[in-house]
PDB file of all heavy atoms in Angstrom:
ATOM      1  N   LEU A   1       0.840  -1.189   0.000  1.00 84.00           N
ATOM      2  CA  LEU A   1       0.000   0.000   0.000  1.00 84.00           C
ATOM      3  C   LEU A   1       0.882   1.248   0.000  1.00 84.00           C
ATOM      4  O   LEU A   1       1.827   1.346   0.769  1.00 84.00           O
ATOM      5  CB  LEU A   1      -0.878   0.010   1.256  1.00 84.00           C
ATOM      6  CG  LEU A   1      -1.845   1.161   1.427  1.00 84.00           C
ATOM      7  CD1 LEU A   1      -2.956   1.072   0.387  1.00 84.00           C
ATOM      8  CD2 LEU A   1      -2.437   1.144   2.832  1.00 84.00           C
ATOM      9  N   GLY A   2       0.546   2.194  -0.870  1.00 86.00           N
ATOM     10  CA  GLY A   2       1.249   3.472  -0.911  1.00 86.00           C
ATOM     11  C   GLY A   2       0.319   4.580  -0.450  1.00 86.00           C
ATOM     12  O   GLY A   2      -0.859   4.584  -0.801  1.00 86.00           O
ATOM     13  N   VAL A   3       0.836   5.497   0.343  1.00 90.00           N
ATOM     14  CA  VAL A   3       0.046   6.638   0.797  1.00 90.00           C
ATOM     15  C   VAL A   3       0.894   7.904   0.716  1.00 90.00           C
ATOM     16  O   VAL A   3       2.119   7.861   0.814  1.00 90.00           O
ATOM     17  CB  VAL A   3      -0.488   6.480   2.247  1.00 90.00           C
ATOM     18  CG1 VAL A   3      -1.458   5.332   2.356  1.00 90.00           C
ATOM     19  CG2 VAL A   3       0.628   6.334   3.248  1.00 90.00           C
ATOM     20  N   VAL A   4       0.206   9.029   0.533  1.00 92.00           N
ATOM     21  CA  VAL A   4       0.840  10.340   0.641  1.00 92.00           C
ATOM     22  C   VAL A   4       0.220  11.013   1.847  1.00 92.00           C
ATOM     23  O   VAL A   4      -1.005  11.121   1.951  1.00 92.00           O
ATOM     24  CB  VAL A   4       0.624  11.189  -0.629  1.00 92.00           C
ATOM     25  CG1 VAL A   4       1.280  12.556  -0.467  1.00 92.00           C
ATOM     26  CG2 VAL A   4       1.168  10.477  -1.864  1.00 92.00           C
ATOM     27  N   LYS A   5       1.083  11.423   2.769  1.00 94.00           N
ATOM     28  CA  LYS A   5       0.627  12.042   4.015  1.00 94.00           C
ATOM     29  C   LYS A   5       0.984  13.519   4.015  1.00 94.00           C
ATOM     30  O   LYS A   5       2.020  13.921   3.487  1.00 94.00           O
ATOM     31  CB  LYS A   5       1.290  11.375   5.220  1.00 94.00           C
ATOM     32  CG  LYS A   5       0.970   9.908   5.348  1.00 94.00           C
ATOM     33  CD  LYS A   5       1.725   9.294   6.504  1.00 94.00           C
ATOM     34  CE  LYS A   5       1.415   7.815   6.629  1.00 94.00           C
ATOM     35  NZ  LYS A   5       2.119   7.231   7.788  1.00 94.00           N
ATOM     36  N   LEU A   6       0.131  14.296   4.624  1.00 94.00           N
ATOM     37  CA  LEU A   6       0.377  15.708   4.847  1.00 94.00           C
ATOM     38  C   LEU A   6       0.883  15.841   6.279  1.00 94.00           C
ATOM     39  O   LEU A   6       0.226  15.405   7.226  1.00 94.00           O
ATOM     40  CB  LEU A   6      -0.924  16.472   4.654  1.00 94.00           C
ATOM     41  CG  LEU A   6      -0.870  17.949   4.361  1.00 94.00           C
ATOM     42  CD1 LEU A   6       0.009  18.255   3.160  1.00 94.00           C
ATOM     43  CD2 LEU A   6      -2.271  18.477   4.118  1.00 94.00           C
ATOM     44  N   ILE A   7       2.081  16.390   6.435  1.00 95.00           N
ATOM     45  CA  ILE A   7       2.750  16.469   7.730  1.00 95.00           C
ATOM     46  C   ILE A   7       2.844  17.932   8.166  1.00 95.00           C
ATOM     47  O   ILE A   7       3.265  18.782   7.391  1.00 95.00           O
ATOM     48  CB  ILE A   7       4.173  15.872   7.652  1.00 95.00           C
ATOM     49  CG1 ILE A   7       4.157  14.455   7.080  1.00 95.00           C
ATOM     50  CG2 ILE A   7       4.873  15.939   9.004  1.00 95.00           C
ATOM     51  CD1 ILE A   7       3.458  13.429   7.912  1.00 95.00           C
ATOM     52  N   ASN A   8       2.473  18.217   9.401  1.00 94.00           N
ATOM     53  CA  ASN A   8       2.639  19.542   9.974  1.00 94.00           C
ATOM     54  C   ASN A   8       4.129  19.709  10.264  1.00 94.00           C
ATOM     55  O   ASN A   8       4.690  19.002  11.096  1.00 94.00           O
ATOM     56  CB  ASN A   8       1.813  19.686  11.252  1.00 94.00           C
ATOM     57  CG  ASN A   8       1.920  21.052  11.862  1.00 94.00           C
ATOM     58  OD1 ASN A   8       3.001  21.579  12.049  1.00 94.00           O
ATOM     59  ND2 ASN A   8       0.769  21.629  12.175  1.00 94.00           N
ATOM     60  N   ALA A   9       4.769  20.637   9.580  1.00 93.00           N
ATOM     61  CA  ALA A   9       6.218  20.802   9.698  1.00 93.00           C
ATOM     62  C   ALA A   9       6.645  21.402  11.030  1.00 93.00           C
ATOM     63  O   ALA A   9       7.780  21.213  11.457  1.00 93.00           O
ATOM     64  CB  ALA A   9       6.729  21.664   8.550  1.00 93.00           C
ATOM     65  N   VAL A  10       5.760  22.101  11.713  1.00 93.00           N
ATOM     66  CA  VAL A  10       6.116  22.732  12.980  1.00 93.00           C
ATOM     67  C   VAL A  10       6.253  21.692  14.089  1.00 93.00           C
ATOM     68  O   VAL A  10       7.206  21.706  14.863  1.00 93.00           O
ATOM     69  CB  VAL A  10       5.083  23.814  13.371  1.00 93.00           C
ATOM     70  CG1 VAL A  10       5.380  24.396  14.736  1.00 93.00           C
ATOM     71  CG2 VAL A  10       5.040  24.908  12.305  1.00 93.00           C
ATOM     72  N   VAL A  11       5.300  20.767  14.166  1.00 93.00           N
ATOM     73  CA  VAL A  11       5.323  19.766  15.234  1.00 93.00           C
ATOM     74  C   VAL A  11       5.705  18.381  14.719  1.00 93.00           C
ATOM     75  O   VAL A  11       5.715  17.421  15.466  1.00 93.00           O
ATOM     76  CB  VAL A  11       3.969  19.698  15.980  1.00 93.00           C
ATOM     77  CG1 VAL A  11       3.695  21.005  16.689  1.00 93.00           C
ATOM     78  CG2 VAL A  11       2.841  19.343  15.032  1.00 93.00           C
ATOM     79  N   ASP A  12       6.024  18.286  13.417  1.00 92.00           N
ATOM     80  CA  ASP A  12       6.446  17.037  12.786  1.00 92.00           C
ATOM     81  C   ASP A  12       5.447  15.908  13.055  1.00 92.00           C
ATOM     82  O   ASP A  12       5.815  14.825  13.511  1.00 92.00           O
ATOM     83  CB  ASP A  12       7.845  16.631  13.238  1.00 92.00           C
ATOM     84  CG  ASP A  12       8.457  15.593  12.307  1.00 92.00           C
ATOM     85  OD1 ASP A  12       8.119  15.584  11.115  1.00 92.00           O
ATOM     86  OD2 ASP A  12       9.277  14.777  12.782  1.00 92.00           O
ATOM     87  N   ALA A  13       4.174  16.182  12.772  1.00 93.00           N
ATOM     88  CA  ALA A  13       3.131  15.195  13.010  1.00 93.00           C
ATOM     89  C   ALA A  13       2.186  15.126  11.813  1.00 93.00           C
ATOM     90  O   ALA A  13       1.845  16.150  11.223  1.00 93.00           O
ATOM     91  CB  ALA A  13       2.342  15.555  14.265  1.00 93.00           C
ATOM     92  N   GLU A  14       1.769  13.917  11.495  1.00 92.00           N
ATOM     93  CA  GLU A  14       0.823  13.716  10.404  1.00 92.00           C
ATOM     94  C   GLU A  14      -0.548  14.259  10.805  1.00 92.00           C
ATOM     95  O   GLU A  14      -1.001  14.053  11.919  1.00 92.00           O
ATOM     96  CB  GLU A  14       0.688  12.229  10.092  1.00 92.00           C
ATOM     97  CG  GLU A  14      -0.376  11.923   9.069  1.00 92.00           C
ATOM     98  CD  GLU A  14      -0.644  10.445   8.890  1.00 92.00           C
ATOM     99  OE1 GLU A  14       0.132   9.618   9.394  1.00 92.00           O
ATOM    100  OE2 GLU A  14      -1.637  10.124   8.242  1.00 92.00           O
ATOM    101  N   PHE A  15      -1.209  14.959   9.862  1.00 90.00           N
ATOM    102  CA  PHE A  15      -2.576  15.344  10.158  1.00 90.00           C
ATOM    103  C   PHE A  15      -3.545  15.004   9.048  1.00 90.00           C
ATOM    104  O   PHE A  15      -4.745  15.219   9.213  1.00 90.00           O
ATOM    105  CB  PHE A  15      -2.703  16.812  10.606  1.00 90.00           C
ATOM    106  CG  PHE A  15      -2.315  17.848   9.598  1.00 90.00           C
ATOM    107  CD1 PHE A  15      -3.236  18.364   8.716  1.00 90.00           C
ATOM    108  CD2 PHE A  15      -1.027  18.329   9.564  1.00 90.00           C
ATOM    109  CE1 PHE A  15      -2.875  19.346   7.812  1.00 90.00           C
ATOM    110  CE2 PHE A  15      -0.664  19.309   8.670  1.00 90.00           C
ATOM    111  CZ  PHE A  15      -1.587  19.809   7.792  1.00 90.00           C
ATOM    112  N   ALA A  16      -3.074  14.416   7.955  1.00 93.00           N
ATOM    113  CA  ALA A  16      -4.005  13.970   6.918  1.00 93.00           C
ATOM    114  C   ALA A  16      -3.307  13.013   5.962  1.00 93.00           C
ATOM    115  O   ALA A  16      -2.130  13.179   5.654  1.00 93.00           O
ATOM    116  CB  ALA A  16      -4.561  15.155   6.148  1.00 93.00           C
ATOM    117  N   THR A  17      -4.038  12.018   5.509  1.00 92.00           N
ATOM    118  CA  THR A  17      -3.609  11.188   4.392  1.00 92.00           C
ATOM    119  C   THR A  17      -4.370  11.700   3.183  1.00 92.00           C
ATOM    120  O   THR A  17      -5.601  11.721   3.185  1.00 92.00           O
ATOM    121  CB  THR A  17      -3.913   9.700   4.639  1.00 92.00           C
ATOM    122  OG1 THR A  17      -3.149   9.264   5.768  1.00 92.00           O
ATOM    123  CG2 THR A  17      -3.547   8.849   3.442  1.00 92.00           C
ATOM    124  N   VAL A  18      -3.639  12.145   2.160  1.00 91.00           N
ATOM    125  CA  VAL A  18      -4.281  12.810   1.025  1.00 91.00           C
ATOM    126  C   VAL A  18      -4.329  11.951  -0.230  1.00 91.00           C
ATOM    127  O   VAL A  18      -4.922  12.345  -1.229  1.00 91.00           O
ATOM    128  CB  VAL A  18      -3.603  14.168   0.724  1.00 91.00           C
ATOM    129  CG1 VAL A  18      -3.840  15.140   1.871  1.00 91.00           C
ATOM    130  CG2 VAL A  18      -2.114  13.995   0.459  1.00 91.00           C
ATOM    131  N   TYR A  19      -3.704  10.774  -0.185  1.00 88.00           N
ATOM    132  CA  TYR A  19      -3.711   9.885  -1.351  1.00 88.00           C
ATOM    133  C   TYR A  19      -3.388   8.476  -0.874  1.00 88.00           C
ATOM    134  O   TYR A  19      -2.489   8.285  -0.055  1.00 88.00           O
ATOM    135  CB  TYR A  19      -2.666  10.349  -2.369  1.00 88.00           C
ATOM    136  CG  TYR A  19      -2.553   9.508  -3.620  1.00 88.00           C
ATOM    137  CD1 TYR A  19      -3.508   9.607  -4.625  1.00 88.00           C
ATOM    138  CD2 TYR A  19      -1.488   8.641  -3.807  1.00 88.00           C
ATOM    139  CE1 TYR A  19      -3.397   8.852  -5.785  1.00 88.00           C
ATOM    140  CE2 TYR A  19      -1.370   7.888  -4.967  1.00 88.00           C
ATOM    141  CZ  TYR A  19      -2.322   7.993  -5.954  1.00 88.00           C
ATOM    142  OH  TYR A  19      -2.216   7.249  -7.102  1.00 88.00           O
ATOM    143  N   THR A  20      -4.117   7.504  -1.386  1.00 86.00           N
ATOM    144  CA  THR A  20      -3.865   6.092  -1.082  1.00 86.00           C
ATOM    145  C   THR A  20      -3.923   5.315  -2.383  1.00 86.00           C
ATOM    146  O   THR A  20      -4.809   5.532  -3.206  1.00 86.00           O
ATOM    147  CB  THR A  20      -4.929   5.541  -0.105  1.00 86.00           C
ATOM    148  OG1 THR A  20      -4.909   6.330   1.086  1.00 86.00           O
ATOM    149  CG2 THR A  20      -4.646   4.098   0.246  1.00 86.00           C
ATOM    150  N   VAL A  21      -2.984   4.402  -2.553  1.00 82.00           N
ATOM    151  CA  VAL A  21      -2.945   3.593  -3.772  1.00 82.00           C
ATOM    152  C   VAL A  21      -2.567   2.160  -3.401  1.00 82.00           C
ATOM    153  O   VAL A  21      -1.758   1.927  -2.514  1.00 82.00           O
ATOM    154  CB  VAL A  21      -1.967   4.200  -4.808  1.00 82.00           C
ATOM    155  CG1 VAL A  21      -0.542   4.176  -4.318  1.00 82.00           C
ATOM    156  CG2 VAL A  21      -2.107   3.529  -6.161  1.00 82.00           C
ATOM    157  N   THR A  22      -3.185   1.197  -4.068  1.00 78.00           N
ATOM    158  CA  THR A  22      -2.914  -0.212  -3.799  1.00 78.00           C
ATOM    159  C   THR A  22      -1.930  -0.786  -4.807  1.00 78.00           C
ATOM    160  O   THR A  22      -1.623  -0.160  -5.820  1.00 78.00           O
ATOM    161  CB  THR A  22      -4.213  -1.036  -3.873  1.00 78.00           C
ATOM    162  OG1 THR A  22      -4.688  -0.994  -5.225  1.00 78.00           O
ATOM    163  CG2 THR A  22      -5.263  -0.497  -2.918  1.00 78.00           C
ATOM    164  N   ASP A  23      -1.471  -1.987  -4.527  1.00 74.00           N
ATOM    165  CA  ASP A  23      -0.536  -2.667  -5.418  1.00 74.00           C
ATOM    166  C   ASP A  23      -1.114  -2.853  -6.817  1.00 74.00           C
ATOM    167  O   ASP A  23      -0.394  -2.875  -7.794  1.00 74.00           O
ATOM    168  CB  ASP A  23      -0.147  -4.025  -4.831  1.00 74.00           C
ATOM    169  CG  ASP A  23      -1.335  -4.966  -4.722  1.00 74.00           C
ATOM    170  OD1 ASP A  23      -2.128  -4.793  -3.771  1.00 74.00           O
ATOM    171  OD2 ASP A  23      -1.487  -5.855  -5.566  1.00 74.00           O
ATOM    172  N   GLU A  24      -2.425  -2.962  -6.932  1.00 71.00           N
ATOM    173  CA  GLU A  24      -3.045  -3.174  -8.240  1.00 71.00           C
ATOM    174  C   GLU A  24      -2.841  -1.983  -9.166  1.00 71.00           C
ATOM    175  O   GLU A  24      -2.793  -2.136 -10.380  1.00 71.00           O
ATOM    176  CB  GLU A  24      -4.532  -3.454  -8.067  1.00 71.00           C
ATOM    177  CG  GLU A  24      -4.794  -4.742  -7.323  1.00 71.00           C
ATOM    178  CD  GLU A  24      -6.235  -4.890  -6.892  1.00 71.00           C
ATOM    179  OE1 GLU A  24      -7.028  -3.944  -7.081  1.00 71.00           O
ATOM    180  OE2 GLU A  24      -6.572  -5.949  -6.357  1.00 71.00           O
ATOM    181  N   VAL A  25      -2.710  -0.790  -8.606  1.00 67.00           N
ATOM    182  CA  VAL A  25      -2.523   0.418  -9.410  1.00 67.00           C
ATOM    183  C   VAL A  25      -1.049   0.674  -9.691  1.00 67.00           C
ATOM    184  O   VAL A  25      -0.677   0.993 -10.818  1.00 67.00           O
ATOM    185  CB  VAL A  25      -3.149   1.642  -8.698  1.00 67.00           C
ATOM    186  CG1 VAL A  25      -2.860   2.924  -9.457  1.00 67.00           C
ATOM    187  CG2 VAL A  25      -4.643   1.437  -8.530  1.00 67.00           C
ATOM    188  N   ILE A  26      -0.183   0.540  -8.687  1.00 65.00           N
ATOM    189  CA  ILE A  26       1.222   0.917  -8.866  1.00 65.00           C
ATOM    190  C   ILE A  26       2.106  -0.231  -9.335  1.00 65.00           C
ATOM    191  O   ILE A  26       3.276  -0.011  -9.596  1.00 65.00           O
ATOM    192  CB  ILE A  26       1.819   1.558  -7.600  1.00 65.00           C
ATOM    193  CG1 ILE A  26       1.754   0.627  -6.404  1.00 65.00           C
ATOM    194  CG2 ILE A  26       1.183   2.883  -7.315  1.00 65.00           C
ATOM    195  CD1 ILE A  26       2.441   1.158  -5.161  1.00 65.00           C
ATOM    196  N   ASP A  27       1.572  -1.420  -9.464  1.00 57.00           N
ATOM    197  CA  ASP A  27       2.388  -2.542  -9.925  1.00 57.00           C
ATOM    198  C   ASP A  27       2.455  -2.517 -11.446  1.00 57.00           C
ATOM    199  O   ASP A  27       1.867  -3.331 -12.125  1.00 57.00           O
ATOM    200  CB  ASP A  27       1.827  -3.875  -9.423  1.00 57.00           C
ATOM    201  CG  ASP A  27       2.832  -5.000  -9.581  1.00 57.00           C
ATOM    202  OD1 ASP A  27       4.023  -4.709  -9.818  1.00 57.00           O
ATOM    203  OD2 ASP A  27       2.429  -6.165  -9.482  1.00 57.00           O
ATOM    204  N   SER A  28       3.170  -1.533 -11.955  1.00 60.00           N
ATOM    205  CA  SER A  28       3.278  -1.330 -13.389  1.00 60.00           C
ATOM    206  C   SER A  28       4.581  -0.631 -13.687  1.00 60.00           C
ATOM    207  O   SER A  28       5.018   0.229 -12.937  1.00 60.00           O
ATOM    208  CB  SER A  28       2.107  -0.460 -13.886  1.00 60.00           C
ATOM    209  OG  SER A  28       2.343  -0.026 -15.197  1.00 60.00           O
ATOM    210  N   SER A  29       5.198  -0.985 -14.782  1.00 57.00           N
ATOM    211  CA  SER A  29       6.426  -0.296 -15.163  1.00 57.00           C
ATOM    212  C   SER A  29       6.122   1.001 -15.903  1.00 57.00           C
ATOM    213  O   SER A  29       7.009   1.799 -16.149  1.00 57.00           O
ATOM    214  CB  SER A  29       7.279  -1.206 -16.045  1.00 57.00           C
ATOM    215  OG  SER A  29       6.556  -1.547 -17.220  1.00 57.00           O
ATOM    216  N   ALA A  30       4.860   1.235 -16.261  1.00 63.00           N
ATOM    217  CA  ALA A  30       4.483   2.445 -16.984  1.00 63.00           C
ATOM    218  C   ALA A  30       4.219   3.588 -16.007  1.00 63.00           C
ATOM    219  O   ALA A  30       3.570   3.399 -14.981  1.00 63.00           O
ATOM    220  CB  ALA A  30       3.238   2.185 -17.815  1.00 63.00           C
ATOM    221  N   TRP A  31       4.726   4.757 -16.311  1.00 64.00           N
ATOM    222  CA  TRP A  31       4.463   5.930 -15.478  1.00 64.00           C
ATOM    223  C   TRP A  31       3.027   6.365 -15.678  1.00 64.00           C
ATOM    224  O   TRP A  31       2.517   6.398 -16.781  1.00 64.00           O
ATOM    225  CB  TRP A  31       5.399   7.079 -15.843  1.00 64.00           C
ATOM    226  CG  TRP A  31       6.777   6.843 -15.333  1.00 64.00           C
ATOM    227  CD1 TRP A  31       7.822   6.298 -16.021  1.00 64.00           C
ATOM    228  CD2 TRP A  31       7.267   7.103 -14.027  1.00 64.00           C
ATOM    229  NE1 TRP A  31       8.920   6.213 -15.216  1.00 64.00           N
ATOM    230  CE2 TRP A  31       8.622   6.705 -13.991  1.00 64.00           C
ATOM    231  CE3 TRP A  31       6.702   7.651 -12.883  1.00 64.00           C
ATOM    232  CZ2 TRP A  31       9.409   6.832 -12.858  1.00 64.00           C
ATOM    233  CZ3 TRP A  31       7.480   7.777 -11.749  1.00 64.00           C
ATOM    234  CH2 TRP A  31       8.829   7.373 -11.741  1.00 64.00           C
ATOM    235  N   ALA A  32       2.376   6.703 -14.603  1.00 59.00           N
ATOM    236  CA  ALA A  32       0.987   7.153 -14.667  1.00 59.00           C
ATOM    237  C   ALA A  32       0.823   8.387 -13.798  1.00 59.00           C
ATOM    238  O   ALA A  32       1.446   8.501 -12.750  1.00 59.00           O
ATOM    239  CB  ALA A  32       0.048   6.056 -14.171  1.00 59.00           C
ATOM    240  N   ALA A  33      -0.022   9.302 -14.238  1.00 54.00           N
ATOM    241  CA  ALA A  33      -0.308  10.486 -13.425  1.00 54.00           C
ATOM    242  C   ALA A  33      -1.173  10.066 -12.252  1.00 54.00           C
ATOM    243  O   ALA A  33      -2.041   9.209 -12.373  1.00 54.00           O
ATOM    244  CB  ALA A  33      -1.021  11.537 -14.259  1.00 54.00           C
ATOM    245  N   ALA A  34      -0.922  10.646 -11.109  1.00 47.00           N
ATOM    246  CA  ALA A  34      -1.702  10.321  -9.910  1.00 47.00           C
ATOM    247  C   ALA A  34      -3.172  10.619 -10.139  1.00 47.00           C
ATOM    248  O   ALA A  34      -3.530  11.592 -10.780  1.00 47.00           O
ATOM    249  CB  ALA A  34      -1.188  11.138  -8.735  1.00 47.00           C
ATOM    250  N   ASN A  35      -4.013   9.766  -9.592  1.00 44.00           N
ATOM    251  CA  ASN A  35      -5.461   9.943  -9.680  1.00 44.00           C
ATOM    252  C   ASN A  35      -5.927  10.174 -11.115  1.00 44.00           C
ATOM    253  O   ASN A  35      -6.814  10.968 -11.374  1.00 44.00           O
ATOM    254  CB  ASN A  35      -5.933  11.120  -8.817  1.00 44.00           C
ATOM    255  CG  ASN A  35      -5.764  10.850  -7.348  1.00 44.00           C
ATOM    256  OD1 ASN A  35      -5.721   9.711  -6.921  1.00 44.00           O
ATOM    257  ND2 ASN A  35      -5.662  11.896  -6.568  1.00 44.00           N
ATOM    258  N   GLU A  36      -5.313   9.498 -12.048  1.00 50.00           N
ATOM    259  CA  GLU A  36      -5.654   9.624 -13.471  1.00 50.00           C
ATOM    260  C   GLU A  36      -5.608  11.072 -13.930  1.00 50.00           C
ATOM    261  O   GLU A  36      -6.455  11.548 -14.666  1.00 50.00           O
ATOM    262  CB  GLU A  36      -7.021   8.993 -13.742  1.00 50.00           C
ATOM    263  CG  GLU A  36      -7.045   7.515 -13.415  1.00 50.00           C
ATOM    264  CD  GLU A  36      -8.415   6.894 -13.583  1.00 50.00           C
ATOM    265  OE1 GLU A  36      -9.356   7.591 -13.977  1.00 50.00           O
ATOM    266  OE2 GLU A  36      -8.517   5.700 -13.319  1.00 50.00           O
ATOM    267  N   GLY A  37      -4.595  11.822 -13.479  1.00 53.00           N
ATOM    268  CA  GLY A  37      -4.388  13.179 -13.934  1.00 53.00           C
ATOM    269  C   GLY A  37      -5.053  14.247 -13.094  1.00 53.00           C
ATOM    270  O   GLY A  37      -4.860  15.428 -13.332  1.00 53.00           O
ATOM    271  N   ASN A  38      -5.832  13.874 -12.092  1.00 54.00           N
ATOM    272  CA  ASN A  38      -6.469  14.865 -11.233  1.00 54.00           C
ATOM    273  C   ASN A  38      -5.536  15.246 -10.097  1.00 54.00           C
ATOM    274  O   ASN A  38      -4.746  14.448  -9.630  1.00 54.00           O
ATOM    275  CB  ASN A  38      -7.779  14.315 -10.654  1.00 54.00           C
ATOM    276  CG  ASN A  38      -8.790  14.030 -11.730  1.00 54.00           C
ATOM    277  OD1 ASN A  38      -8.931  14.795 -12.669  1.00 54.00           O
ATOM    278  ND2 ASN A  38      -9.492  12.924 -11.606  1.00 54.00           N
ATOM    279  N   ALA A  39      -5.669  16.459  -9.641  1.00 70.00           N
ATOM    280  CA  ALA A  39      -4.827  16.944  -8.556  1.00 70.00           C
ATOM    281  C   ALA A  39      -5.263  16.347  -7.220  1.00 70.00           C
ATOM    282  O   ALA A  39      -6.437  16.088  -7.000  1.00 70.00           O
ATOM    283  CB  ALA A  39      -4.903  18.466  -8.486  1.00 70.00           C
ATOM    284  N   ILE A  40      -4.306  16.117  -6.351  1.00 85.00           N
ATOM    285  CA  ILE A  40      -4.593  15.681  -4.991  1.00 85.00           C
ATOM    286  C   ILE A  40      -4.980  16.920  -4.188  1.00 85.00           C
ATOM    287  O   ILE A  40      -4.349  17.965  -4.285  1.00 85.00           O
ATOM    288  CB  ILE A  40      -3.363  15.003  -4.370  1.00 85.00           C
ATOM    289  CG1 ILE A  40      -3.063  13.714  -5.105  1.00 85.00           C
ATOM    290  CG2 ILE A  40      -3.578  14.738  -2.894  1.00 85.00           C
ATOM    291  CD1 ILE A  40      -1.788  13.062  -4.667  1.00 85.00           C
ATOM    292  N   ASP A  41      -5.994  16.800  -3.375  1.00 87.00           N
ATOM    293  CA  ASP A  41      -6.488  17.917  -2.568  1.00 87.00           C
ATOM    294  C   ASP A  41      -5.614  18.104  -1.336  1.00 87.00           C
ATOM    295  O   ASP A  41      -5.542  17.224  -0.472  1.00 87.00           O
ATOM    296  CB  ASP A  41      -7.933  17.650  -2.161  1.00 87.00           C
ATOM    297  CG  ASP A  41      -8.556  18.787  -1.379  1.00 87.00           C
ATOM    298  OD1 ASP A  41      -7.927  19.857  -1.261  1.00 87.00           O
ATOM    299  OD2 ASP A  41      -9.688  18.600  -0.901  1.00 87.00           O
TER     300      ASP A  41
END
């Protein structure tokens, strides 16, 4: 499982997971845009 976390830099603590991806999506040698080209919030 891959995740992108948003970290508060002042207190060095996670406060949100903004993206999650499973092996089924990232198990590829082809480069792909995250979220099929949509921006992560």
Side-chain angles (χ1 to χ4, degrees):
L1 181 69
V3 296
V4 179
K5 299 176 180 182
L6 201 54
I7 307 295
N8 182 311
V10 175
V11 296
D12 197 29
E14 174 188 349
F15 63 90
T17 296
V18 293
Y19 179 76
T20 302
V21 65
T22 65
D23 64 282
E24 295 168 355
V25 175
I26 59 175
D27 195 14
S28 168
S29 60
W31 285 95
N35 292 336
E36 299 176 1
N38 296 319
I40 294 174
D41 183 7

